[in-house]
Amino acid sequence: MVEIRLENVSKQFGKVVAVDNLNLEIKDGEFIALLGPSGCGKTTTLLMIAGIYKPTTGKIYFDDQVVNDIPPKDRNIGMVFQSYALYPHMSVFDNIAFPLKLQRRPKNEIRERVVEVAKILGIEELLDRKPSQLSGGQQQRVALARALVKEPQVFLMDEPLSNLDAKLRIQMRAELKRIQRELGVTTIYVTHDQLEAMTMADRIAVMNRGVLQQYASPEELYNKPANIFVASFIGSVPINFLEGELIKSNGTLKVETEYLPLDIMRKFQDGVDSLPYGEKVVIGIRPEHVLIGEGPYTGKVIIIEPLGRDAIVHIDVNGYVIRALTSEFHDIKEGDVVKFDFDYSSIHIFNGKSGELLI
C-alpha cells in the first residue's frame, strides 16, 4: 500500500483556479473523503492524484516518489466513477477481467483473481450476465470489482453511490467501508454528501472554492469546526447562526443579538480576554443543543418536522427561526409558545468578519 502527500498543489484552467495551494497527507491504508459543494475542487484533486490532470504547481508524492510526470497506467490505482462505464457487450466476468487482460496476465491467474474479487463483493453468481441484466447496485459492485481486481495500491472513487436509491446507498456505504478495512487499500472518496463522508471516512478534507477549509476526523469537524463554512456544511440538520455584538460589562460576557441576548459567560470561564469585545461575532448552535421545555427564552412553534423518534421544531423568536432537534415533541403543537434554553457547553463563537472559530 502507499502513503500519499500533496505539497502546495494548485490547478488552473486558464484564469480559473480550481485548486489553490492544497496540502494534504493521506496515511497508508487510510480512508479519506474529499467533501464540498459542486465546483469546490474535490474531483480535480482526485484526477490529479490519478494522473489524469497534471498540477499547475506543487508536487504529489506516492510514499517518497514524486508522481507528477508518471502516467495513470503506471500509478497502480483503481478508479470508480459516478457512471460505472461497464462495457455493454461484455459479460460481467470479462468486464472485471479487462484490466488483467490488458496486462497480459495468464488465463488461470485471471480466472482466479476474478472469482476471488467477485466473492468479496458477493457477485460470483452474476459472472455470466451482461450489464443490461443487472440492477444499479449490481453494476456498481461490478465496477468496484474491476477496480480492485488488479490489486491497486490506491483506490479512488468519485461519487460512486449517487446513482443508487436511498436504501441501497446506506447498504453500500457499509459494504464499501467493510471492503476497504478488509483489503487495507489507501482510499480517497469524493462526495458532496456530508452524511456519506461522516459515516465512511477516517478523516475528511472539507473544500470550498478550491481551498481546503479543514482536514480532520468526522468528530472534530462536527464538534470543533474551523470556520462558519465547515459548521454550516457538516450536520444533517443545519446549524443555527445568530449574529451579534460581543459585550462585556460588570463581569458578564454577553452577545447582544437582534433577537435575544446570550449570556456566554456560562460557557467560557477561561480565554475570554482574547475575544474581540465590541466587534461582530456569529454564534453557532446545533439544533440538538437547543433545549425545549424550560429556560429564559420563549418563541412560537411554526413548523414541526417529525423524523420518527425525533423531530425538528422550528421556533419563531422575534422574526428569527431557530431549529431544535428533540425527542420531546409529542405534547407540542404548531402555534404553541414554548420556553427554551441552549446547551452553552456546546456553542461556537466565530469571528463576524473572517468567519474563523474564535474559541
Side-chain angles (χ1 to χ4, degrees):
M1 303 310 163
V2 68
E3 184 176 288
I4 299 171
R5 195 166 75 255
L6 281 68
E7 289 187 356
N8 305 316
V9 169
S10 297
K11 180 62 180 176
Q12 287 184 239
F13 298 96
K15 293 182 179 180
V16 177
V17 180
V19 176
D20 190 3
N21 198 38
L22 177 61
N23 289 278
L24 210 59
E25 186 176 315
I26 301 152
K27 297 174 185 174
D28 182 4
E30 192 173 22
F31 190 132
I32 77 121
L34 300 176
L35 174 68
S38 296
C40 73
K42 55 190 186 292
T43 296
T44 300
T45 300
L46 190 81
L47 294 176
M48 285 192 288
I49 294 169
I52 296 170
Y53 289 161
K54 187 174 180 179
T56 306
T57 59
K59 293 179 179 179
I60 299 175
Y61 291 85
F62 282 18
D63 289 332
D64 294 322
Q65 182 184 16
V66 178
V67 297
N68 289 37
D69 297 320
I70 295 178
K73 66 182 180 64
D74 297 326
R75 294 194 186 193
N76 193 14
I77 58 171
M79 259 192 112
V80 178
F81 296 95
Q82 182 177 346
S83 61
Y84 309 131
L86 301 177
Y87 299 109
H89 62 287
M90 291 185 183
S91 66
V92 167
F93 181 95
D94 289 333
N95 266 283
I96 298 172
F98 190 72
L100 301 180
K101 290 179 178 178
L102 287 179
Q103 296 174 355
R104 301 186 184 279
R105 300 276 188 95
K107 284 186 177 181
N108 59 336
E109 181 189 340
I110 291 174
R111 174 158 288 280
E112 285 177 11
R113 285 292 301 144
V114 170
V115 171
E116 180 185 345
V117 172
K119 283 181 179 177
I120 291 172
L121 287 157
I123 54 173
E124 61 268 34
E125 76 281 2
L126 306 177
L127 292 176
D128 293 329
R129 296 190 191 178
K130 295 286 178 65
S132 60
Q133 299 172 299
L134 306 179
S135 68
Q138 290 169 335
Q139 289 184 42
Q140 198 248 10
R141 287 169 186 260
V142 174
L144 288 170
R146 185 176 59 189
L148 290 170
V149 75
K150 56 182 182 177
E151 299 179 311
Q153 61 180 352
V154 182
F155 197 23
L156 307 176
M157 292 186 274
D158 189 3
E159 306 208 30
L161 306 184
S162 57
N163 289 339
L164 304 180
D165 63 54
K167 183 179 179 181
L168 193 52
R169 271 205 307 275
I170 294 170
Q171 180 186 330
M172 286 307 302
R173 283 205 309 256
E175 191 72 5
L176 280 175
K177 193 168 184 176
R178 178 191 68 78
I179 292 165
Q180 194 273 338
R181 292 282 186 272
E182 190 175 304
L183 300 176
V185 181
T186 304
T187 300
I188 303 169
Y189 187 100
V190 163
T191 181
H192 65 272
D193 184 332
Q194 57 96 17
L195 193 59
E196 269 185 19
M198 295 283 281
T199 54
M200 296 171 69
D202 300 314
R203 286 192 291 173
I204 301 170
V206 182
M207 301 180 69
N208 187 35
R209 297 180 179 178
V211 177
L212 179 66
Q213 303 295 309
Q214 190 173 0
Y215 185 37
S217 68
E219 294 78 15
E220 186 173 348
L221 289 176
Y222 192 81
N223 294 316
K224 294 182 180 178
N227 55 42
I228 289 174
F229 177 82
V230 175
S232 65
F233 205 81
I234 299 293
S236 55
V237 182
I239 192 170
N240 298 291
F241 288 119
L242 289 164
E243 298 179 6
E245 185 178 339
L246 195 61
I247 295 172
K248 187 178 185 183
S249 63
N250 300 323
T252 300
L253 184 64
K254 289 186 176 182
V255 175
E256 290 287 350
T257 77
E258 186 180 341
Y259 316 102
L260 45 81
L262 294 173
D263 179 7
I264 61 173
M265 187 65 86
R266 290 161 64 181
K267 171 178 171 65
F268 300 110
Q269 302 300 325
D270 302 313
V272 296
D273 292 336
S274 63
L275 290 172
Y277 300 113
E279 294 190 18
K280 298 295 183 184
V281 294
V282 176
I283 302 294
I285 306 169
R286 294 206 178 274
E288 63 267 32
H289 301 140
V290 179
L291 312 174
I292 295 179
E294 295 296 332
Y297 311 115
T298 59
K300 183 178 180 180
V301 176
I302 55 172
I303 298 172
I304 299 174
E305 296 181 71
L307 301 174
R309 184 190 67 179
D310 299 323
I312 306 168
V313 179
H314 298 245
I315 306 169
D316 184 297
V317 183
N318 300 321
Y320 178 78
V321 177
I322 291 175
R323 289 177 294 271
L325 181 66
T326 179
S327 58
E328 306 296 326
F329 66 94
H330 299 287
D331 296 328
I332 300 173
K333 302 185 298 295
E334 292 179 5
D336 285 355
V337 174
V338 295
K339 290 183 176 181
F340 65 95
D341 201 354
F342 303 115
D343 177 357
Y344 280 83
S345 66
S346 301
I347 69 172
H348 309 289
I349 302 181
F350 301 97
N351 186 296
K353 293 180 180 177
S354 68
E356 299 299 310
L357 186 68
L358 289 172
I359 295 185

